[in-house]
Amino acid sequence: MLFRSGSFIFNMLKKDPKRVAAAVIAQPIGRVGPFNPQRPARFNEWAASLKNKPSDAVLDAFYSNLYKDGFVYSADRAFVGSLKLPCLLLAGNDDAHPRPISDECNKLLQNVEYILEWKSGDPLVAAQKRIKEFLAQHTPKS
């Protein structure tokens, strides 16, 4: 079972899909719209916090490799659409985790349950309960 960010889960599924029986995918990270080659302030703030700051050329290459492809940064649409394992998808709703990326993952995943609201209040309590039920339902019995 996995309960992590979309990027982590999709990478894990690429590397060793047989290890994962089901996945809870929390707010997949991706980009909607054209790529902006100018690094945003939050990326530059993160880069400035590094102890051994890389050169601007290295940071530009890292930024481009991370964000240029769009969609989910660690997987393409064909890969997401090929997944057959049960997935519980928690929608994103901010700049880094845009709702349209979650909506598209919901359409592509073959065996998915989609939770739109889950970040606070009663929806958070309900989502926590559903996550526990989902994981219990899909945990292999030994």
Side-chain angles (χ1 to χ4, degrees):
M1 272 334 110
L2 284 177
F3 175 42
R4 293 291 299 257
S5 70
S7 294
F8 178 86
I9 288 176
F10 293 133
N11 280 332
M12 178 70 172
L13 289 168
K14 284 179 183 177
K15 291 179 190 227
D16 199 355
K18 293 179 183 162
R19 290 185 60 193
V20 183
V24 176
I25 303 169
Q27 56 185 13
I29 187 169
R31 179 178 41 77
V32 176
F35 173 69
N36 180 356
Q38 188 171 22
R39 299 186 318 237
R42 73 174 180 268
F43 183 93
N44 290 331
E45 289 167 10
W46 166 80
S49 74
L50 298 174
K51 290 181 183 177
N52 297 315
K53 186 179 182 226
S55 69
D56 280 339
V58 169
L59 288 170
D60 286 341
F62 179 71
Y63 172 72
S64 180
N65 286 339
L66 187 61
Y67 297 111
K68 189 170 186 178
D69 290 338
F71 186 54
V72 176
Y73 295 138
S74 61
D76 62 23
R77 288 167 177 85
F79 177 77
V80 173
S82 74
L83 298 174
K84 295 179 177 145
L85 75 160
C87 295
L88 181 61
L89 176 61
L90 307 175
N93 65 355
D94 58 33
D95 289 342
H97 312 92
R99 171 75 179 275
I101 297 296
S102 297
D103 291 343
E104 190 167 357
C105 286
N106 179 52
K107 290 177 185 172
L108 291 170
L109 290 164
Q110 296 182 36
N111 188 4
V112 65
E113 179 180 338
Y114 194 26
I115 297 178
L116 298 174
E117 300 295 328
W118 61 274
K119 288 191 173 182
S120 63
D122 289 339
L124 175 59
V125 172
Q128 289 170 329
K129 180 180 181 212
R130 182 60 195 126
I131 290 166
K132 288 177 185 176
E133 293 167 352
F134 179 86
L135 293 174
Q137 177 184 2
H138 296 290
T139 298
K141 308 295 183 229
S142 36

